[in-house]
Amino acid sequence: MATERTLSIIKPDATRRNLTGKINAKFEDAGLRIVAQKRVRLSLAQAETFYAVHSARPFFGELTEFMASGPVVLQVLEGENAIAKNREVMGATNPADAAPGTIRAEFAESVGENSVHGSDAPETAAEEIAFFFAGLEIVG
Ligand code: RTP
Ligand code: MG
């Protein structure tokens, strides 16, 4: 297994409830290292570009408005098998289906406001990291 990097976003529902530290503890306890991190407020245009793959879905407007509704924490997580490991720690998209102990089981409010984003494959991880971070901002 190779060391990988993945893009993580702590979403506005979680920053609003002051959960950044508790979520980061879940990543670190799972062996993921936070090698870049910044708190920003996304514009609607940035959220629309980031989630362009979902532009035809009925929830696109709701999703992008939510992502621009408050601060988010953008992160690069690094570790063995980091993409799959992060998605394991996150839990299923719908918190009602998320396994006990996962971030979404413990913290998510609904399928839309589900506390975290994580890249889903090596190609999307590389694209999503490059969308938000310059190389010098990532310190492994
Ligand atoms: P993410 O991309 O945020 O890591 O989440 P995911 O892979 O588990 O889920 P995905 O299918 O990629 O959907 C992206 C985000 O869209 C919102 N969503 N809302 N209202 C709905 O039925 C619905 N379905 C998806 C969620 O915020 C989901 O994380
Ligand atoms: Mg996704």
Side-chain angles (χ1 to χ4, degrees):
M1 251 185 305
T3 300
E4 286 178 339
R5 287 177 173 173
T6 190
L7 184 86
S8 164
I9 306 178
I10 301 179
K11 295 184 178 182
D13 67 286
T15 60
R16 176 168 43 79
R17 287 175 291 143
N18 213 20
L19 293 170
T20 299
K22 286 191 171 125
I23 290 172
N24 280 348
K26 295 269 195 198
F27 295 142
E28 293 185 338
D29 288 350
L32 292 165
R33 301 183 73 83
I34 302 164
V35 296
Q37 177 166 257
K38 56 189 173 190
R39 179 174 161 111
V40 304
R41 175 85 182 251
L42 297 179
S43 67
L44 185 59
Q46 287 168 329
E48 286 171 349
T49 304
F50 180 74
Y51 276 118
V53 66
H54 294 310
S55 61
R57 309 279 283 275
F59 56 80
F60 183 67
E62 196 184 326
L63 169 63
T64 53
E65 279 166 31
F66 164 61
M67 291 300 288
S69 70
V72 298
V73 180
L74 307 171
Q75 308 173 304
V76 180
L77 306 181
E78 182 180 88
E80 289 297 313
N81 213 12
I83 297 166
K85 186 177 282 181
N86 180 39
R87 290 186 68 88
E88 217 176 283
V89 175
M90 289 162 59
T93 309
N94 186 342
D97 302 328
T102 61
I103 291 168
R104 284 167 167 166
E106 287 194 17
F107 303 126
E109 301 192 299
S110 66
V111 65
E113 307 209 353
N114 60 1
S115 303
V116 279
H117 162 85
S119 307
D120 58 14
E123 300 71 31
T124 47
E127 277 173 29
E128 291 178 3
I129 289 168
F131 184 72
F132 286 124
F133 288 96
L136 280 173
E137 295 179 300
I138 306 169
V139 185

